[in-house]
Coordinates of all heavy atoms in Angstrom, one line a residue:
I24 N 5.8 1.3 0.4 CA 5.0 2.5 0.1 C 5.3 3.6 1.0 O 5.5 4.8 0.7 CB 3.5 2.2 0.1 CG1 3.2 1.2 -1.1 CG2 2.7 3.4 -0.1 CD1 1.8 0.6 -1.1
A25 N 5.4 3.3 2.3 CA 5.7 4.3 3.3 C 7.1 4.9 3.1 O 7.3 6.1 3.2 CB 5.7 3.7 4.7
R26 N 8.1 4.0 2.7 CA 9.4 4.6 2.4 C 9.4 5.5 1.2 O 10.1 6.5 1.1 CB 10.3 3.4 2.1 CG 10.8 2.7 3.4 CD 12.0 1.8 3.1 NE 11.9 0.6 4.0 CZ 11.4 -0.5 3.7 NH1 10.9 -0.8 2.5 NH2 11.4 -1.5 4.6
I27 N 8.6 5.1 0.2 CA 8.5 6.0 -1.0 C 7.9 7.3 -0.6 O 8.3 8.4 -1.1 CB 7.6 5.3 -2.1 CG1 8.3 4.1 -2.7 CG2 7.3 6.3 -3.2 CD1 7.5 3.2 -3.6
T28 N 6.9 7.3 0.2 CA 6.2 8.5 0.7 C 7.2 9.4 1.4 O 7.3 10.6 1.3 CB 5.0 8.2 1.6 OG1 4.1 7.4 0.9 CG2 4.3 9.4 2.0
L29 N 8.0 8.8 2.3 CA 9.0 9.5 3.1 C 10.0 10.2 2.1 O 10.3 11.4 2.3 CB 9.8 8.5 4.0 CG 10.8 9.2 4.9 CD1 10.1 10.0 6.0 CD2 11.7 8.2 5.6
A30 N 10.5 9.5 1.1 CA 11.5 10.0 0.2 C 10.9 11.2 -0.6 O 11.6 12.1 -0.8 CB 11.9 8.9 -0.8
C31 N 9.6 11.1 -0.9 CA 9.0 12.2 -1.7 C 8.7 13.4 -0.9 O 8.8 14.5 -1.4 CB 7.7 11.6 -2.4 SG 8.0 10.3 -3.6
F32 N 8.3 13.2 0.3 CA 7.8 14.3 1.1 C 8.7 14.9 2.1 O 8.6 16.1 2.4 CB 6.4 13.8 1.8 CG 5.3 13.7 0.8 CD1 5.1 12.6 0.1 CD2 4.5 14.8 0.6 CE1 4.0 12.5 -0.8 CE2 3.5 14.7 -0.3 CZ 3.2 13.6 -1.0
L33 N 9.5 14.2 2.8 CA 10.2 14.7 3.9 C 11.3 15.8 3.5 O 11.4 16.7 4.3 CB 10.9 13.6 4.7 CG 10.0 12.8 5.6 CD1 10.8 11.8 6.4 CD2 9.2 13.6 6.5
P34 N 11.9 15.7 2.4 CA 12.8 16.9 2.0 C 12.1 18.2 2.0 O 12.6 19.2 2.5 CB 13.3 16.5 0.6 CG 13.2 15.0 0.6 CD 12.0 14.7 1.4
G35 N 10.9 18.2 1.5 CA 10.2 19.5 1.5 C 9.5 19.9 2.8 O 9.2 21.0 3.0
L36 N 9.4 18.9 3.7 CA 8.7 19.1 4.9 C 9.5 20.0 5.8 O 9.0 20.7 6.7 CB 8.5 17.8 5.7 CG 7.3 16.9 5.1 CD1 7.3 15.6 5.8 CD2 6.0 17.6 5.1
L37 N 10.8 20.0 5.7 CA 11.7 20.8 6.5 C 11.4 22.3 6.4 O 11.7 23.2 7.2 CB 13.1 20.6 6.2 CG 13.6 19.1 6.5 CD1 15.1 18.9 6.0 CD2 13.5 18.8 7.9
F38 N 10.7 22.7 5.2 CA 10.4 24.1 5.0 C 8.9 24.3 5.1 O 8.4 25.4 4.7 CB 10.9 24.5 3.6 CG 12.4 24.2 3.4 CD1 12.8 23.0 2.7 CD2 13.3 25.1 3.9 CE1 14.1 22.8 2.6 CE2 14.6 24.8 3.7 CZ 15.1 23.7 3.1
A39 N 8.2 23.4 5.6 CA 6.7 23.5 5.7 C 6.4 24.5 6.9 O 7.2 25.0 7.6 CB 6.1 22.2 6.0
K43 N 3.5 22.4 12.3 CA 3.7 20.9 12.2 C 5.1 20.6 12.6 O 6.0 21.5 12.4 CB 3.5 20.4 10.8 CG 2.1 20.5 10.3 CD 2.0 19.9 8.9 CE 0.6 19.9 8.3 NZ 0.6 19.3 7.0
T45 N 8.1 18.9 11.4 CA 8.4 18.4 10.1 C 9.8 17.8 10.0 O 10.1 17.1 9.0 CB 8.3 19.5 9.1 OG1 9.2 20.6 9.5 CG2 6.9 20.0 9.0
D46 N 10.6 18.0 11.0 CA 12.0 17.4 11.0 C 11.9 16.0 11.5 O 11.4 15.8 12.7 CB 12.9 18.3 11.9 CG 14.3 17.8 11.9 OD1 14.6 16.5 11.7 OD2 15.2 18.6 12.1
P47 N 12.3 15.0 10.7 CA 12.1 13.6 11.2 C 12.8 13.3 12.5 O 12.3 12.6 13.4 CB 12.8 12.8 10.0 CG 12.7 13.7 8.8 CD 12.8 15.1 9.4
M50 N 10.7 14.6 15.3 CA 9.6 13.7 15.6 C 10.0 12.6 16.5 O 9.3 12.3 17.4 CB 9.1 13.1 14.2 CG 8.3 14.0 13.3 SD 7.8 13.0 11.9 CE 7.6 14.3 10.7
Y68 N 3.9 11.8 12.4 CA 4.2 11.6 11.0 C 3.0 11.9 10.1 O 3.1 12.6 9.1 CB 4.7 10.2 10.8 CG 4.9 9.8 9.3 CD1 6.1 10.2 8.7 CD2 4.0 9.1 8.6 CE1 6.4 9.9 7.4 CE2 4.2 8.8 7.3 CZ 5.5 9.2 6.7 OH 5.7 8.9 5.4
A71 N 2.4 15.5 9.7 CA 3.4 16.2 8.9 C 3.2 16.0 7.4 O 3.5 16.9 6.6 CB 4.8 15.6 9.3
V72 N 2.7 14.9 7.0 CA 2.6 14.6 5.5 C 1.2 14.8 5.0 O 1.0 14.9 3.8 CB 3.1 13.2 5.2 CG1 4.5 13.0 5.6 CG2 2.2 12.1 5.8
L73 N 0.2 14.8 5.8 CA -1.2 15.0 5.3 C -1.5 16.4 4.9 O -1.0 17.3 5.5 CB -2.2 14.5 6.4 CG -2.3 13.0 6.7 CD1 -3.2 12.7 7.8 CD2 -2.8 12.3 5.4
P74 N -2.5 16.5 4.0 CA -2.9 17.9 3.6 C -3.6 18.6 4.9 O -4.1 17.9 5.8 CB -4.0 17.7 2.5 CG -4.4 16.2 2.6 CD -3.2 15.5 3.2
A124 N -4.5 7.6 4.7 CA -4.1 6.5 3.8 C -3.1 7.0 2.8 O -2.9 8.2 2.7 CB -5.3 5.9 3.2
I125 N -2.6 6.0 2.1 CA -1.8 6.4 0.9 C -2.5 5.9 -0.4 O -2.9 4.7 -0.4 CB -0.4 5.7 1.0 CG1 0.4 6.2 2.2 CG2 0.4 5.9 -0.3 CD1 1.7 5.4 2.4
E126 N -2.6 6.7 -1.3 CA -3.2 6.3 -2.6 C -2.1 5.5 -3.3 O -1.1 6.0 -3.6 CB -3.6 7.5 -3.5 CG -4.3 7.2 -4.7 CD -4.7 8.4 -5.5 OE1 -4.2 9.5 -5.2 OE2 -5.6 8.3 -6.4
T129 N -0.5 6.7 -6.8 CA 0.3 7.9 -6.8 C 1.3 8.0 -5.7 O 2.3 8.7 -5.8 CB -0.6 9.1 -6.8 OG1 -1.3 9.2 -5.5 CG2 -1.6 9.1 -7.9
G130 N 1.1 7.2 -4.6 CA 2.0 7.3 -3.4 C 1.6 8.6 -2.6 O 2.4 8.8 -1.6
K131 N 0.5 9.3 -2.9 CA 0.2 10.5 -2.1 C -0.5 10.2 -0.8 O -1.4 9.3 -0.8 CB -0.7 11.4 -3.0 CG 0.0 12.1 -4.2 CD -1.0 13.0 -4.9 CE -0.3 13.6 -6.1 NZ -1.2 14.5 -6.8
P132 N -0.1 10.8 0.3 CA -0.9 10.6 1.5 C -2.2 11.4 1.4 O -2.3 12.5 0.9 CB 0.0 11.3 2.6 CG 0.9 12.3 1.8 CD 1.0 11.7 0.4
C133 N -3.2 10.7 1.9 CA -4.6 11.2 1.8 C -5.2 11.3 3.2 O -5.1 10.4 4.0 CB -5.5 10.3 0.9 SG -4.9 10.2 -0.8
S163 N -6.3 14.0 -1.3 CA -4.8 14.3 -1.1 C -4.5 15.8 -1.4 O -3.4 16.2 -1.1 CB -4.0 13.5 -2.1 OG -4.3 13.8 -3.4
L201 N -1.6 4.6 5.9 CA -0.5 5.5 6.0 C 0.2 5.2 7.4 O -0.4 5.3 8.4 CB -0.9 6.9 6.0 CG 0.1 8.0 6.2 CD1 1.2 8.0 5.2 CD2 -0.5 9.4 6.2

Side-chain angles (χ1 to χ4, degrees):
I24 293 171
R26 282 191 212 99
I27 292 170
T28 303
L29 182 72
C31 294
F32 283 89
L33 285 184
L36 287 175
L37 297 175
F38 304 99
K43 296 180 178 183
T45 56
D46 185 330
M50 287 184 205
Y68 177 78
V72 301
L73 286 173
I125 296 172
E126 187 178 15
T129 63
K131 290 182 179 178
C133 299
S163 62
L201 174 63

